[in-house]
Amino acid sequence: MGCEVSRTPLVVFSTMPAIESDNITRSQAEIISGWRAGLRLGQRTLADWQGGVLAVSAVPGAGKSHSMAVAAAITIATQKLHQRHQLIIVTLTRSAAANIKDKIKSCLKELGLPPIGYSVNTIHSLALSIASKHPELSKLDLTDRTLVMPSTNHKLIEDTVQSWLSKYPNSYRNLLAGESFDGEETERLRRQSVLRTEILPSLAFTAVREAKSSGLSPADLWEIAKLDPDRSDILSISAGLYEAYQELLSSKGYSDYDEMIAGALRVMGDHAARRLWQQQVYAVFEDEAQDSSPLQERLLRQLAGIPNRPELPPNLIRVGDPNQAINSTFTPADPQYFREFCQECSEIVNPDSTS
């Protein structure tokens, strides 16, 4: 089983060495040995993983998905995973999830194993599953809610701006006047159009996604505005837009995908619920990790944690391109977060390294 790789090798940081397993047959071991022989060094380290945190930094075309599928199949086989103790694979889109699911199924078939012991999800479908099974903890009743993923030109953002204009007319007038405005009607109309159709929708979209990705509520943003006089105007406007957005979500029966993440984290914040989920999960593999927000990473870390052993590193593999986020236009993704994870893993492996 071969795979196409780029000229740039994968850079891997792991906290645990490879461990031989006695849980596979000789024929399965031979198949796995053949897979390993077809992998490059970084990919081979991924396939050899047996526990702990692992960061794989790789450019597009480096064979990440194939290597992850091989690593997943090996983990399922050697750890004898099953429906009640699974490997969770998280990727960016539903099409990517279907692709890697098929690859793992093919690998398991080659090993003579049934296609069980793993689940492939997008981060939002995983969060939705966790949040919906514990509505009392997630504080999300999803039975009559509509999930939305607004962009800057979404009707919800448009309504958010209109609601803010109604609630904070003085702030709007100050924005309209700016620092140098002679009152000329043509200029006033131009400014009004730009503010309502471009600046305020963009600010609302950015404020909501950045605040939610940082776990901040509208009240939190209002407090931050008070603490930063130099930026109080823009932060207050942002807080007001965020507040209007949340009120509209509630009144229209909507939930956005960031609320799924926050709801899932509230579930994982409960000791009994967290232990229940961790007992069902052997490890978490994340593809396209450069597109994760800090809250998403936090959720995966908790899910991959060892039950009742918070001092141990989670069983977590994160694979991504540290140079670019694929989905940054529509999400708060920033490859800086993944680079920080790579650095963290590097420091664990090489504590004296300064690079």
Side-chain angles (χ1 to χ4, degrees):
M1 182 182 288
C3 68
E4 293 295 325
V5 298
S6 73
R7 289 174 295 176
T8 304
L10 286 78
V11 179
V12 180
F13 305 103
S14 177
T15 62
M16 296 186 69
I19 301 172
E20 295 297 327
S21 174
D22 298 324
N23 292 338
I24 55 176
T25 66
R26 179 175 294 180
S27 63
Q28 288 172 336
E30 290 174 353
I31 292 170
I32 291 172
S33 178
W35 291 349
R36 291 184 74 258
L39 299 176
R40 298 182 69 168
L41 180 60
Q43 297 167 320
R44 195 172 298 164
T45 307
L46 179 60
D48 287 344
W49 176 89
Q50 291 286 331
V53 291
L54 174 66
V56 179
S57 169
V59 297
K64 301 188 299 290
S65 296
H66 171 80
S67 305
M68 182 173 287
V70 169
I74 293 172
T75 300
I76 293 164
T78 58
Q79 300 302 321
K80 293 190 176 296
L81 301 183
H82 48 80
Q83 294 293 69
R84 295 183 301 278
H85 195 212
Q86 296 189 76
L87 173 65
I88 302 295
I89 298 98
V90 178
T91 190
L92 188 58
T93 64
R94 283 179 290 182
S95 60
N99 179 52
I100 197 168
K101 184 176 182 179
D102 287 343
K103 288 182 178 180
I104 295 171
K105 182 179 179 180
S106 176
C107 289
L108 290 175
K109 183 178 180 180
E110 192 171 347
L111 291 174
L113 295 174
I116 60 173
Y118 70 101
S119 173
V120 186
N121 317 262
T122 65
I123 183 64
H124 295 115
S125 67
L126 176 62
L128 176 60
S129 177
I130 295 171
S132 62
K133 288 178 181 175
H134 306 269
E136 73 288 355
L137 295 175
S138 68
K139 299 182 175 141
L140 293 174
D141 182 1
L142 302 172
T143 53
D144 297 317
R145 309 284 285 185
T146 301
L147 281 174
V148 294
M149 181 182 281
S151 59
T152 54
N153 58 358
H154 193 282
K155 181 66 162 57
L156 182 60
I157 296 296
E158 179 184 326
D159 291 344
T160 294
V161 171
Q162 292 303 317
S163 176
W164 180 84
L165 291 171
S166 298
K167 286 183 70 174
Y168 301 99
N170 290 335
S171 294
Y172 174 62
R173 280 193 290 270
N174 290 337
L175 272 180
L176 194 59
E179 294 184 357
S180 57
F181 178 47
D182 58 11
E184 202 275 324
E185 180 64 12
T186 302
E187 175 63 12
R188 186 187 70 80
L189 291 174
R190 187 193 69 81
R191 291 188 179 199
Q192 179 174 289
S193 175
V194 171
L195 278 171
R196 292 190 177 205
T197 63
E198 298 179 26
I199 295 175
L200 288 173
S202 178
L203 180 59
F205 175 72
T206 302
V208 168
R209 71 176 191 173
E210 294 296 335
K212 287 197 171 190
S213 72
S214 301
L216 298 175
S217 68
D220 294 329
L221 205 51
W222 280 117
E223 289 301 313
I224 292 172
K226 294 177 185 177
L227 297 173
D228 193 345
D230 293 337
R231 296 192 301 161
S232 61
D233 288 347
I234 190 65
L235 287 173
S236 294
I237 294 169
S238 298
L241 288 165
Y242 185 14
E243 178 183 77
Y245 175 88
Q246 289 298 101
E247 290 172 353
L248 284 169
L249 280 184
S250 178
S251 66
K252 292 179 178 291
Y254 293 161
S255 288
D256 63 22
Y257 284 97
D258 286 322
E259 289 196 336
M260 297 300 100
I261 304 291
L265 279 168
R266 285 191 287 270
V267 172
M268 297 302 288
D270 179 85
H271 175 75
R274 182 172 64 253
R275 184 171 182 271
L276 177 65
W277 278 94
Q278 288 177 341
Q279 287 176 332
Q280 299 176 56
V281 175
Y282 173 73
V284 176
F285 290 5
E286 182 188 16
D287 195 13
E288 307 296 359
Q290 75 279 350
D291 277 80
S292 275
S293 70
L295 285 191
Q296 292 171 11
E297 180 187 344
R298 182 176 153 202
L299 176 61
L300 297 185
R301 279 180 182 269
Q302 293 191 6
L303 191 62
I306 311 302
N308 298 323
R309 298 295 303 275
E311 75 279 6
L312 295 178
N315 284 335
L316 176 63
I317 290 180
R318 304 187 71 215
V319 182
D321 180 356
N323 300 315
Q324 60 181 340
I326 297 172
N327 211 26
S328 59
T329 303
F330 304 104
T331 73
D334 189 319
Q336 176 62 31
Y337 304 131
F338 179 60
R339 289 197 293 268
E340 290 172 359
F341 179 79
C342 292
Q343 181 62 29
E344 174 191 335
C345 291
S346 178
E347 289 171 356
I348 292 173
V349 178
N350 305 297
D352 297 327
S353 174
T354 57
S355 61

